[in-house]
Amino acid sequence: MPPDAADRPDAQSSTFIGSAPRGTADLLDTLRAVVGRRHLLTGEKATRIFRHGFRFGSGPVLAVVQPGSLVEQWRVLRACVEAGVIVIAQAANTGLTGGSTPDGIYDRPVVIVSTRRLAGIHLIHDGRQAVCLPGATLNQLEAKLRPLGREPHSVIGSSCIGASVIGGICNNSGGALVRRGPAYTELALYARVDETGRLALVNHLGISLGNEPEAMLARLESGAFAPADVDPAEGRAASDTHYAEHVRAVDASTPARFNADAARLFEASGSAGKIMLFAVRLDSFAKDGATRVFYIGTNDPAELTALRRAILSGFRTLPVAGEYMHRDCFDMAARYGKDTYLAIRRLGTDRLPWLFAAKARIDALPFVSAHFSDRLLQWLADRLPDHLPERLLRYRDRFEHHLMLRMPDAGIEEARAWLERHFPSASGDFFECSEAEGEAAFLHRFAAAGAAVRYRAVHPKEVEDIVALDIALPRNCEAWTEQLPEAIERPILHKLYYGHFLCHVFHQDYIVAKGTDCVALEHAMLPLLDARGAEYPAEHNVGHLYEAKPALRDHYAALDPCNMFNPGIGKTSREARR
Ligand SMILES: Cc1cc2nc3c(=O)[nH]c(=O)nc-3n(C[C@H](O)[C@H](O)[C@H](O)COP(=O)(O)OP(=O)(O)OC[C@H]3O[C@@H](n4cnc5c(N)ncnc54)[C@H](O)[C@@H]3O)c2cc1C
């Protein structure tokens, strides 16, 4: 959806886009004056962790700049616009498709604006909504809401490694929560460059902040606004309010959620870095009381299909989460996700972002070989005793397909009764987890997300690369397991299937043998997905891996007519348009 600038007053700025890149030395001087020498990075090593994606994508940059306030962020952007360079906004850089890093070579110099220093959260309406600044993480939001008995909209696999709230909005990120759908809001404060090249600050946050950009940003950051300045913003969504109904429609021939869904594209939502965001306003949700995890194993996928359809169309209470893992993925996560599992168990999620940052710093040291930290951690993990509960391991031996179902208080009895009526069967069974087993099951499922990356890091001679697909199957799809033709299957060493089963969103990581053309392999797989009515990507967004479908392309073009923000995303044009 194009930005609707007509209904509310926007602050304007007279900065116009430079017609050609100005002397880059001048730009670097200006940026240095804005953020200070320490926060302007230009060296190969210093910029490395910002230039490389978590799983995919990299490219050279002129600089990485780390503003320390919203006003600095605005000044940085203004200088970049004046200089005519490309701007790539980056939050925690946990994106999996290369959408937050450069990818190869561009027609103009690239500046990454890293927002990690800009953590800040203001709760409004007694914590029923939150205003999050660009560096605020889901983890910080969770901690801030916890004393109020509330929780954020999203829980994603990367929440515990520091994924930001705003990165989630930009990617329409999904995650494990069945009732809430993709990250979405219509309330945001952002800057865009219009078709004439003029920079403007657009206040669609529903909070009166004034008209002069720097004063507005300073006011927002310090929280200097009164309840009377906050518009109730009725009629403008701060979450995907219809998702719970939508996901229940198990006879619908379209997927429940996917990145190119036009209904979930609105200004900041799904913007993938095509504007510069300063804040978003989001709903929070009452925390569930007691929950209970049921662990289901089967050798017949039709049993999980029947369970999914029964839950979504018949249960009075929707589950909190319903996560799937194939046995091969279980095994991969048990070995190559073991240290992640143990680190979270021992240290808690709050310290994990710090650990990941330390790991990246070690790998950036000049005397350290590639993937040193991964190899060391794997060596240690392999020497530690088994970490998974006995009952999970027994189910691993008995069953190929695994589903962990977390029910909220009101739905526990309903789920128990259904499962007791249908299991044990000839091919499946279930058990009710203790609290420790339930936590272990979900943590193990989380560890699966990084297992393929670890495998690639420690087996460089054997592995060419990972082909990672993130797909959404139609809600009425019953044949959700995949049969690959022999020619495609041949070069694949390992297949990891896992995902958000009730939403029918699957992550399929293929570890591919050395010497294979992975791009060609992926291209051969896509028509098979098309034939099944799948949409892709489902929740990781296009980045530089997938082609953006028309709704996404239109969204990007409307937000960024000059193509100065994150150009080339979704395999769109990389060239300046003016
Ligand atoms: C282990 C692991 C598990 C994961 N699990 C899930 C999952 O369960 N579900 C899911 O959906 N995703 C998952 N992801 C993917 C990723 O974590 C999400 O896409 C996440 O929302 C990205 O947040 P981020 O802060 O890292 O954003 P980044 O990766 O830094 O940025 C994401 C996008 O937002 C843009 N952006 C960032 N800040 C701004 C700004 N201030 N202004 C404008 N644009 C901006 C960037 O340009 C980029 O296009 C996982 C990733 C990992 C590594």
Side-chain angles (χ1 to χ4, degrees):
M1 196 172 292
D4 172 15
D7 59 344
R8 288 172 291 271
D10 302 331
Q12 305 287 351
S13 155
S14 55
T15 299
F16 282 83
I17 200 165
S19 52
R22 202 180 69 181
T24 51
D26 286 358
L27 174 61
L28 293 178
D29 286 345
T30 309
L31 296 178
R32 198 173 291 113
V34 174
V35 298
R37 180 169 297 278
R38 239 183 98 205
H39 300 296
L40 180 74
L41 312 175
T42 52
E44 271 296 285
K45 285 273 173 195
T47 57
R48 193 178 186 286
I49 59 169
F50 301 91
R51 286 186 289 109
H52 286 257
F54 185 93
R55 193 188 267 164
F56 173 85
S58 67
V61 295
L62 174 67
V64 174
V65 55
Q66 301 177 289
S69 68
L70 296 187
V71 171
E72 284 185 14
Q73 187 187 349
W74 170 257
R75 291 179 183 164
V76 162
L77 179 61
R78 206 173 50 199
C80 290
V81 172
E82 275 170 11
V85 298
I86 287 169
V87 171
I88 300 181
Q90 185 181 97
N93 194 15
T94 65
L96 292 172
T97 52
S100 33
T101 50
D103 181 52
I105 306 297
Y106 297 81
D107 60 346
R108 293 150 285 167
V110 175
V111 172
I112 293 179
V113 178
S114 166
T115 60
R116 290 182 202 200
R117 294 174 68 210
L118 300 171
I121 296 169
H122 302 298
L123 299 184
I124 56 175
H125 297 326
D126 302 321
R128 281 174 289 113
Q129 289 192 327
V131 175
C132 298
L133 305 193
T137 66
L138 280 166
N139 217 24
Q140 287 161 348
L141 181 58
E142 209 175 300
K144 190 120 182 169
L145 290 170
R146 201 174 292 134
L148 306 176
R150 301 190 70 80
E151 57 188 17
H153 162 275
S154 300
V155 172
I156 62 176
S158 47
S159 294
C160 57
I161 54 170
S164 71
V165 175
I166 273 183
I169 292 293
C170 293
N171 276 347
N172 284 135
S173 293
L177 303 183
V178 179
R179 296 167 291 182
R180 297 188 199 147
Y184 180 78
T185 186
E186 295 171 5
L187 301 168
L189 176 66
Y190 63 91
R192 81 182 273 266
V193 172
D194 69 15
E195 38 294 314
T196 67
R198 187 180 53 162
L199 177 70
L201 186 67
V202 181
N203 183 5
H204 289 175
L205 203 53
I207 301 179
S208 297
L209 296 166
N211 287 310
E212 196 281 313
E214 294 202 1
M216 291 168 72
L217 292 166
R219 203 170 153 200
L220 179 68
E221 182 155 13
S222 62
F225 50 86
D229 296 322
V230 182
D231 176 347
E234 279 153 11
R236 277 176 288 153
S239 61
D240 185 345
T241 46
H242 301 296
Y243 189 74
E245 283 162 48
H246 191 71
V247 75
R248 279 185 179 277
V250 288
D251 293 320
S253 57
T254 52
R257 57 179 170 89
F258 54 100
N259 286 120
D261 183 354
R264 272 72 176 241
L265 301 175
F266 187 95
E267 299 185 359
S269 300
S271 58
K274 296 300 281 180
I275 49 177
M276 175 62 84
L277 276 158
F278 292 87
V280 292
R281 176 171 159 188
L282 290 171
D283 291 333
S284 72
F285 295 82
K287 207 169 158 46
D288 287 305
T291 63
R292 181 61 61 94
V293 175
F294 297 89
Y295 198 99
I296 300 124
T298 179
N299 292 314
D300 178 3
E303 289 196 311
L304 294 189
T305 306
L307 173 58
R308 174 177 173 270
R309 290 183 64 84
I311 291 174
L312 293 177
S313 61
F315 277 26
R316 278 188 312 280
T317 311
L318 281 177
V320 177
E323 292 291 296
Y324 169 79
M325 263 177 131
H326 186 272
R327 173 160 48 202
D328 296 344
C329 181
F330 186 109
D331 290 347
M332 276 284 174
R335 181 158 182 207
Y336 297 99
K338 187 174 176 182
D339 51 302
T340 304
Y341 176 106
L342 291 172
I344 299 177
R345 259 279 148 98
R346 300 268 154 82
L347 303 172
T349 50
D350 291 348
R351 270 189 264 173
L352 219 63
W354 179 86
L355 274 181
F356 268 83
K359 181 174 169 299
R361 271 197 297 273
I362 290 171
D363 284 332
L365 292 173
F367 48 85
V368 157
S369 59
H371 304 302
F372 169 78
S373 62
D374 278 307
R375 282 188 281 120
L376 178 66
L377 288 168
Q378 193 58 47
W379 186 87
L380 285 171
D382 285 345
R383 272 143 195 86
L384 293 171
D386 281 346
H387 58 296
L388 293 172
E390 191 50 46
R391 283 209 282 186
L392 260 65
L393 291 172
R394 264 190 268 133
Y395 263 50
R396 179 259 166 244
D397 291 343
R398 288 175 62 197
F399 302 114
E400 187 180 349
H401 304 283
H402 297 234
L403 182 74
M404 47 213 87
L405 194 65
R406 184 182 288 282
M407 294 301 298
D409 212 359
I412 294 174
E413 202 36 62
E414 198 176 14
R416 185 182 288 136
W418 195 97
L419 290 166
E420 280 173 352
R421 270 201 313 279
H422 293 83
F423 293 110
S425 67
S427 44
D429 206 348
F430 87 100
F431 69 89
E432 236 174 279
C433 293
S434 67
E435 209 172 305
E437 285 171 330
E439 264 181 42
F442 273 88
L443 200 46
H444 184 48
R445 157 64 189 88
F446 161 74
V453 173
R454 167 61 62 79
Y455 189 96
R456 179 180 63 182
V458 299
H459 298 284
K461 291 201 183 109
E462 184 190 324
V463 177
E464 182 67 36
D465 208 347
I466 302 161
V467 172
L469 297 179
D470 161 41
I471 65 163
L473 293 176
R475 282 166 285 177
N476 64 358
C477 172
E478 303 202 356
W480 51 271
T481 55
E482 186 177 58
Q483 308 300 328
L484 290 173
E486 207 277 324
I488 293 184
E489 185 100 41
R490 205 178 314 125
I492 298 173
L493 300 171
H494 301 283
K495 294 181 288 189
L496 282 69
Y497 294 106
Y498 55 103
H500 314 302
F501 187 67
L502 298 182
C503 301
H504 249 20
V505 165
F506 292 89
H507 302 313
Q508 310 190 158
D509 297 347
Y510 308 90
I511 301 178
V512 182
K514 202 83 187 163
T516 310
D517 179 346
C518 290
V519 175
L521 184 71
E522 182 177 345
H523 286 170
M525 286 174 165
L526 299 183
L528 304 175
L529 294 173
D530 294 336
R532 295 167 72 198
E535 289 282 353
Y536 45 86
E539 60 177 16
H540 293 161
N541 218 347
V542 284
H544 289 283
L545 270 185
Y546 298 89
E547 197 165 312
K549 297 224 168 131
L552 265 187
R553 278 177 179 263
D554 294 350
H555 188 50
Y556 297 160
L559 291 175
D560 181 22
C562 296
N563 208 22
M564 72 154 277
F565 292 102
N566 214 0
I569 205 78
K571 302 196 187 288
T572 54
S573 163
R574 288 164 173 251
E575 282 166 24
R577 262 196 306 267
R578 264 200 81 215

